Amino acid sequence: MGYSRHIYEKANSILSLRRQNAVQQADKKREEIYSKLPRVREIERELAQTGYRAAKAVVQGEDTREQLLKLRDTNLRLQNELQLLLVKNGYTTADLEEKYRCMMCSDKGYIDGRMCDCMKLLLRDIAFRELNELSPLAPSSFDTFSLDHYSNDPDENGKIPRKRMENILQFCKNYADNFTVHSESIYMEGATGLGKTHLSLAIAGAVIDKGYGVIYCSLPDIVSKIEREHFSNDYYTGTLAHLESCDLLILDDLGTEYPTPFNKSCVYNLVNKRLLMQKPTIINTNLTKQEIKGLYSDRLISRMLGEQVYLKFIGKDIRLKKGRE
Ligand SMILES: Nc1ncnc2c1ncn2[C@@H]1O[C@H](COP(=O)(O)OP(=O)(O)O)[C@@H](O)[C@H]1O
Ligand SMILES: [Mg+2]
Ligand SMILES: [Zn+2]
């Protein structure tokens, strides 16, 4: 997947910082060891010399075998001495070397010209963080979700809000606990202030903790970002690609985006693509089915409702209730 240049630049500067850190830490540790155990430095010098002599012996080609064997013995003896000395003083030979975060590429990001997995993860991470900065993933959790806000009395349709919301809460907890890239998609519907965003973010938090890539965004924000990218020179910054490919995508406030043809086709393509690829998506809306029908094609609506678990939130606006308390 392609990323915009500034994401590569960020990743490279993070890797370069990691390398600098590793080198600095190792320097510090070495200084500490040298000052406590001066013999360590001597051994290192002698070891470097045996290496140099071996190279010379090979180049000059005289008595090479015997000389090389002797050098190998010296080398082994020095290495043993070094190891013993270090261990006796609570160190290991690894303390003399840089400790890179990635053993595979020594924090260079590339191995023989191929991108290392650590670099791929880093790029993904930076891109996700940038997308989530647009609508920050505010911490919200299942623990702060209280059923007390929902009435035990039946509503106008004879449904008991607390019972309904208890089931929804349980469903969302199970969903988060058992999340995989093959999880179902969810469609949350209900009036404002009933906890749709709260529960979506609680799922997001739990799924992120499991190590998945989650993007949360409100639809009006994200479509205007995509539109800006589309009509600017730096067209491909990969936003759409990330939305299409992340492990869990949460699209909040469906129906509050301006219903321009661009926005509508953007939402259609995104949702349709993810449903086709069976990638889990959570869509939230304050609008009723009837209202959504006025905005989007029957095809999209029937796909969303047909292929997503439908959760209908009921009750009274909690923001207002909380305000009164
Ligand atoms: N069951 C709940 N327990 C505690 N706080 C809640 C609950 N439901 C919603 N809230 C809080 O009420 C406010 C509105 O909820 P929100 O999730 O944004 O509603 P919606 O997305 O359905 O419009 C938020 O501050 C949210 O944290
Ligand atoms: Mg909301
Ligand atoms: Zn690496």
Side-chain angles (χ1 to χ4, degrees), residues 186-202:
I186 303 178
Y187 188 89
M188 297 181 178
E189 180 196 300
T192 35
L194 295 184
K196 300 182 296 297
T197 298
H198 190 119
L199 278 184
S200 304
L201 289 176

Side-chain angles (χ1 to χ4, degrees), residues 121-239:
L121 275 177
L122 189 59
L123 288 168
R124 203 184 74 161
D125 209 52
I126 298 168
F128 280 173
R129 237 178 298 148
E130 284 203 352
L131 283 170
N132 284 324
E133 265 166 25
L134 207 60
S135 353
L137 273 171
S140 131
S141 76
F142 293 117
D143 298 338
T144 54
F145 191 85
S146 160
L147 290 168
D148 296 343
H149 299 298
Y150 306 94
S151 168
N152 258 323
D153 301 325
D155 67 2
E156 59 280 9
N157 299 313
K159 307 279 188 237
I160 298 171
R162 187 161 312 169
K163 190 84 211 126
R164 167 72 57 90
M165 295 310 296
E166 196 180 340
N167 289 338
I168 289 182
L169 173 62
Q170 199 50 53
F171 175 87
C172 291
K173 278 183 175 170
N174 287 342
Y175 184 85
D177 277 351
N178 302 314
F179 183 86
T180 71
V181 291
H182 305 297
S183 285
E184 308 161 290
S185 288
I186 303 178
Y187 188 89
M188 297 181 178
E189 180 196 300
T192 35
L194 295 184
K196 300 182 296 297
T197 298
H198 190 119
L199 278 184
S200 304
L201 289 176
I203 293 175
V207 171
I208 287 171
D209 284 346
K210 291 178 136 203
Y212 291 102
V214 178
I215 297 177
Y216 165 86
C217 50
S218 97
L219 267 170
D221 290 344
I222 203 70
V223 290
S224 61
K225 181 174 163 75
I226 293 169
E227 190 175 17
R228 268 199 313 279
E229 280 179 18
H230 186 77
F231 293 108
S232 77
N233 289 332
D234 185 21
Y235 165 50
Y236 194 72
T237 65
T239 297

Side-chain angles (χ1 to χ4, degrees), residues 62-76:
E62 20 165 279
D63 288 344
T64 319
R65 232 184 86 76
E66 203 180 320
Q67 240 183 320
L68 280 181
L69 282 175
K70 235 196 260 168
L71 284 170
R72 202 189 60 182
D73 283 347
T74 319
N75 193 299
L76 281 177

Side-chain angles (χ1 to χ4, degrees), residues 52 66 83 100 190 206 319 321:
Y52 170 72
E66 203 180 320
Q83 202 163 3
Y100 292 107
R319 236 168 307 194
K321 269 180 131 183

Side-chain angles (χ1 to χ4, degrees), residues 102 104-105 116 118:
C102 178
M104 305 290 292
C105 70
C116 181
C118 74

Side-chain angles (χ1 to χ4, degrees), residues 102-111 116-119:
C102 178
M103 311 266 273
M104 305 290 292
C105 70
S106 307
D107 295 342
K108 290 194 190 76
Y110 290 86
I111 311 165
C116 181
D117 286 345
C118 74
M119 175 84 165

